[in-house]
Amino acid sequence: MVAFMINNNKLNLGQLLLRQGVLDEDQLAHAMAEHKRTGLMLSKILVRLGMVNEETLTNILGSQMQSSTKMRIGEMLLAQGYINQEQLDKALETQKTSGKRLGRTLVDLGYMPEERLIEILSRQFEVPYVKLDNFSIDPNAYNYLPEDMCRQYKVVPLFVQNGEDDRRQAKSVLTIAMTDPTNMRTISVVKFKVRMDVEVVMASEADVMKAIDRVYAGHGTSEESLAELIGESKDSEELETVERGQGNNDEPELTDEEGRAVVKIVTTLIHEAIARHASDIHLEPQETFLKLRYRIDGDLQVMSPIPARLMPQILSRIKLLSKMDIAEKRKPLDGRFTVRYKGSEVDLRVSSFPISLRKRGVCEKIVMRILDPNSGQFPLKDMGFDPRVLKQFIDAINAPNGIVLVTGPTGSGKSTTLYASIREILDSTINISTMEDPVELNIDGVNQGQINNAAGFTFAAGIRALLRQDPDVIMIGEMRDQETSSMAIEAALTGHLVFSTLHTNDAAGAFPRLLEMGLEPFLVSTAIKGVLAQRLVRRICKYCKEPVEISQAMRDEFHLTPDMQFYHGKGCDKCDGSGYKGRCGIYEFLVPNETVRNLIIKRSSGDVIKRAAMQECGMITLRMDGIQKALDGHTTLEQAIGASTSDD
């Protein structure tokens, strides 16, 4: 029989089993009566009565017959045969650079499933292990700890037990679930916050984060809306604008309360933008107000205007956060900062641009690009590729050498595709390095370099340096000049796989563009393994999607047969009446064959290359893919046609 040590310093066994659904209240009451009558430990009584078996108790309580001397986790896993010496050495080496705990490192390296590791640690540290999916969490648990703190420390409050201490004084104990029971700093922080004793149970990180979502659903931080904050800040009468050339020097001083309002407005407008999945925030000074617009799903949407009185201070606040020169208003500036939103870190890239107003003089327009790390983590298979195109593209990015280009205008999702491509081929056996301007998304296991032109770290200089770093795959943010493009081709022809972007209207247009940069045609035709052109179109709102009739004139113009059914969104509360919610991609992928390569060597136009690719390679064009996605109900015919050019 396993001996379970249950005392006043341990979580109440009966309550835990009840909340886990292992026992019901009648069974627990019967077992407790036997405990009082016989004086035997509750665990023994439960096993004797057949209410629970030893294995279940062992898994839940994590107790095992072992020495009280705790082995180090690595030694313990090695001694018990869960890992081998080679895996332990590798994990310890990786830990030195990552700074993560050994257990987390073992999971990340794939040496052990997270759930299995937690079970083992639970036994090692004699801390209960629970699965939170069906756990009976106190409905008022959201009152115990703030949501942002739970997400930061990866803990979730479960319930509070009220009792007495040894001196018969009232005592409350909060039970929390966390992934690492050895993290005493987190436990201390929680204790200080709740002002009561804390008991710990273990759960997987995924279970903890799901439980946080469940606990705080509908009980998040009650933030005032931006419109409400702005409304509170409006002046009783319209402020007079200053004379031209005076700048903002004559703006009235803000009160302390108004100064605090500025901080709150900036925080709220950023949080609202992230919550609305905006890609950019535009702050545009006008004569009598500060115009605020969010770019959502590719379109700018006007928000509540900000009073002119607060304009200089709000712009200065953003520049201060971005570590930009507040006093400099005569030239464009760049900066960036990071915010924490619902437990995730979100980067904001900030750009200022001086503009001139008739009465206010020189002001600054500010645009903030939101670089949400969670927004660019789509696997290739979920990005809307046609199955044939997806296979071709995966084959290209798995080639041993050559160049794979992604083309399209700004905001067409090129970076997202490149990041997805890197994650697709990411492996511990290959060295992947990037040069980006800027680094928009950090990927574990990839060496990502930030271009710094002022310091002389250009794309060309970066390629030279990387070629001495024994790379297998190189990602270049953009092939923007002859030197960068030449070195990229040289790298591809010397056994490296290169990913990059280019600004062209379609896939075929990439070849004339490279030739215009001064590259040799035979090098371009040899090095390029494939060119992907893409656009983002607005996705129909799934809540209000309905069939729509297409005029005969449009069917004739675009060669659409009568049996082709298209859709649109009629508008609802979910999509703010627009009929659209989110975006999806349309793609064309050109894999050069012998015919196309000969046309490149002859310096043929993009149109000639495109027709050859359609006839000889069976290339699916942007227009074809767009119409197919419209037929599938993903987007409207108008969006598909507007984002692509005719194939005629």
Side-chain angles (χ1 to χ4, degrees):
M1 165 71 78
V2 179
F4 294 93
M5 303 299 294
I6 307 295
N7 53 45
N8 291 334
N9 296 320
K10 297 288 183 180
L11 183 68
N12 182 278
L13 175 60
Q15 288 295 319
L16 185 60
L17 294 175
L18 188 64
R19 290 181 174 271
Q20 284 273 79
V22 178
L23 301 177
D24 58 33
E25 292 185 359
D26 290 338
Q27 289 175 315
L28 179 59
H30 180 58
M32 290 300 297
E34 284 295 300
H35 168 63
K36 290 180 180 179
R37 186 179 68 81
T38 62
L40 293 173
M41 296 174 64
L42 181 60
S43 56
K44 290 184 178 181
I45 292 173
L46 291 170
V47 174
R48 182 176 293 180
L49 294 174
M51 294 180 180
V52 66
N53 57 41
E54 290 186 28
E55 185 181 358
T56 300
L57 283 176
T58 300
N59 287 336
I60 292 175
L61 290 171
S63 183
Q64 62 181 13
M65 299 289 293
Q66 62 178 6
S67 166
S68 60
T69 303
K70 302 295 184 193
M71 301 170 66
R72 296 175 65 178
I73 179 65
E75 296 172 353
M76 186 268 292
L77 293 173
L78 181 63
Q80 298 187 13
Y82 294 112
I83 58 174
N84 57 40
Q85 187 63 55
E86 183 182 351
Q87 291 173 325
L88 177 58
D89 293 341
K90 174 67 175 175
L92 290 171
E93 187 65 29
T94 304
Q95 188 188 22
K96 291 178 183 177
T97 55
S98 68
K100 298 179 181 178
R101 291 180 174 267
L102 182 60
R104 184 74 257 169
T105 304
L106 289 167
V107 173
D108 291 345
L109 290 172
Y111 295 157
M112 181 170 291
E114 183 181 16
E115 201 165 287
R116 183 61 177 147
L117 176 66
I118 292 176
E119 288 180 1
I120 296 167
L121 292 179
S122 151
R123 296 175 184 148
Q124 175 69 7
F125 297 111
E126 297 184 4
V127 175
Y129 168 50
V130 301
K131 296 186 182 236
L132 297 175
D133 287 345
N134 299 313
F135 195 91
S136 177
I137 301 176
D138 186 343
N140 297 314
Y142 65 89
N143 290 318
Y144 305 140
L145 291 171
E147 182 181 359
D148 57 348
M149 181 178 175
C150 291
R151 294 187 182 278
Q152 180 180 353
Y153 292 103
K154 294 185 174 67
V155 302
V156 61
L158 300 179
F159 57 90
V160 169
Q161 297 178 92
N162 297 311
E164 297 179 345
D165 60 17
D166 296 336
R167 294 176 293 178
R168 304 259 178 168
Q169 299 290 321
K171 174 184 176 182
S172 296
V173 180
L174 171 66
T175 299
I176 63 172
M178 58 190 299
T179 59
D180 183 6
T182 66
N183 193 334
M184 300 310 298
R185 179 177 175 273
T186 294
I187 296 172
S188 298
V189 169
V190 172
K191 280 185 178 179
F192 181 80
K193 182 68 178 178
V194 299
R195 305 290 182 179
M196 64 177 84
D197 287 343
V198 171
E199 294 283 5
V200 175
V201 298
M202 290 184 69
S204 69
E205 184 174 323
D207 276 3
V208 169
M209 301 313 291
K210 285 181 186 175
I212 292 173
D213 293 338
R214 180 152 57 103
V215 167
Y216 293 95
H219 300 291
T221 305
S222 58
E223 246 181 33
E224 295 175 88
S225 72
L226 181 61
E228 290 172 344
L229 288 174
I230 292 172
E232 293 172 3
S233 305
K234 289 188 184 292
D235 306 301
S236 57
E237 57 185 32
E238 187 67 45
L239 290 173
E240 292 186 12
T241 55
V242 299
E243 295 298 321
R244 183 177 179 84
Q246 296 297 309
N248 298 323
N249 297 329
D250 294 337
E251 291 288 349
E253 293 281 335
L254 296 186
T255 65
D256 290 344
E257 186 176 348
E258 289 173 324
R260 288 190 293 271
V262 166
V263 174
K264 202 168 184 180
I265 287 172
V266 171
T267 301
T268 305
L269 73 86
I270 292 172
H271 283 182
E272 274 199 9
I274 298 171
R276 291 170 176 257
H277 303 290
S279 61
D280 301 86
I281 303 170
H282 288 242
L283 290 162
E284 303 166 5
Q286 309 294 305
E287 296 289 1
T288 57
F289 64 94
L290 180 64
K291 183 192 288 185
L292 172 64
R293 296 193 289 176
Y294 295 158
R295 187 174 295 279
I296 301 173
D297 296 337
D299 290 349
L300 282 170
Q301 298 184 14
V302 179
M303 312 307 291
S304 300
I306 298 173
R309 180 180 180 84
L310 304 179
M311 184 192 305
Q313 286 74 18
I314 285 177
L315 298 178
S316 295
R317 170 68 177 168
I318 293 170
K319 291 179 70 176
L320 183 67
L321 291 170
S322 311
K323 296 181 174 56
M324 298 159 66
D325 186 355
I326 297 178
E328 181 57 73
K329 300 179 180 179
R330 299 165 299 173
K331 64 180 183 181
L333 300 173
D334 293 303
R336 66 188 299 159
F337 64 99
T338 302
V339 300
R340 185 178 292 278
Y341 179 75
K342 291 189 174 180
S344 298
E345 290 185 353
V346 179
D347 290 333
L348 287 97
R349 192 175 74 210
V350 185
S351 171
S352 72
F353 186 82
I355 61 172
S356 180
L357 297 177
R358 186 172 62 86
K359 294 182 178 180
R360 300 187 69 85
V362 177
C363 299
E364 288 177 288
K365 176 181 183 293
I366 284 182
V367 175
M368 292 181 278
R369 168 64 58 88
I370 300 172
L371 306 173
D372 188 350
N374 299 315
S375 66
Q377 297 189 10
F378 303 106
L380 281 176
K381 63 181 178 65
D382 293 340
M383 293 181 63
F385 284 95
D386 178 271
R388 184 162 67 88
V389 173
L390 178 61
K391 184 181 183 307
Q392 289 177 326
F393 188 69
I394 290 177
D395 288 344
I397 64 175
N398 280 283
N401 55 63
I403 297 178
V404 178
L405 290 175
V406 181
T407 74
T410 301
S412 59
K414 298 188 297 294
S415 297
T416 299
T417 299
L418 285 179
Y419 285 135
S421 302
I422 288 175
R423 284 193 298 271
E424 179 72 24
I425 65 171
L426 186 60
D427 188 89
S428 59
T429 61
I430 60 175
N431 177 14
I432 303 177
S433 300
T434 75
M435 291 170 297
E436 305 172 60
D437 186 23
V439 176
E440 297 187 8
L441 177 66
N442 291 110
I443 304 176
D444 291 338
V446 178
N447 310 296
Q448 296 176 264
Q450 170 71 55
I451 295 300
N452 187 339
N453 290 313
F457 185 30
T458 61
F459 281 115
I463 295 175
R464 290 192 201 94
L466 277 183
L467 290 176
R468 297 191 291 270
Q469 293 284 311
D470 186 30
D472 296 297
V473 180
I474 300 172
M475 188 190 94
I476 305 168
E478 183 183 352
M479 293 172 60
R480 59 178 59 166
D481 53 49
Q482 181 185 3
E483 186 179 14
T484 303
S485 304
S486 296
M487 296 198 69
I489 285 184
E490 182 183 340
L493 295 176
T494 54
H496 304 88
L497 182 62
V498 180
F499 298 158
S500 191
T501 67
L502 201 63
H503 288 278
T504 61
N505 290 327
D506 56 18
F511 300 104
R513 176 78 179 96
L514 292 172
L515 298 182
E516 288 171 5
M517 291 182 183
L519 302 181
E520 293 294 334
F522 72 92
L523 294 177
V524 173
S525 66
T526 304
I528 303 296
K529 299 300 182 185
V531 182
L532 180 75
Q534 65 180 68
R535 298 289 189 277
L536 290 178
V537 294
R538 302 188 73 180
R539 187 186 294 273
I540 299 173
C541 173
K542 65 180 181 182
Y543 298 102
C544 60
K545 183 171 77 173
E546 64 179 15
V548 63
E549 290 296 325
I550 303 297
S551 68
Q552 190 58 48
M554 182 173 282
R555 289 185 182 275
D556 293 340
E557 182 180 355
F558 299 106
H559 312 293
L560 307 175
T561 59
D563 62 320
M564 289 182 174
Q565 179 62 65
F566 297 93
Y567 304 85
H568 78 152
K570 64 180 181 180
C572 64
D573 292 340
K574 299 286 187 181
C575 59
D576 295 327
S578 68
Y580 297 102
K581 191 72 174 178
R583 290 190 291 178
C584 62
I586 59 174
Y587 307 92
E588 72 176 29
F589 189 51
L590 196 164
V591 181
N593 65 355
E594 192 65 29
T595 302
V596 171
R597 283 194 284 270
N598 288 332
L599 290 172
I600 297 169
I601 293 173
K602 294 177 182 177
R603 297 180 178 270
S604 300
S605 68
D607 291 338
V608 173
I609 294 174
K610 179 178 180 178
R611 284 195 295 271
M614 292 169 61
Q615 295 168 7
E616 298 281 336
C617 308
M619 182 179 73
I620 298 172
T621 66
L622 287 170
R623 174 64 56 87
M624 294 175 188
D625 195 40
I627 291 177
Q628 185 58 54
K629 284 186 168 61
L631 285 170
D632 293 338
H634 299 307
T635 189
T636 62
L637 183 60
E638 291 78 9
Q639 283 284 310
I641 292 171
S644 59
T645 56
S646 174
D647 296 330
D648 297 334

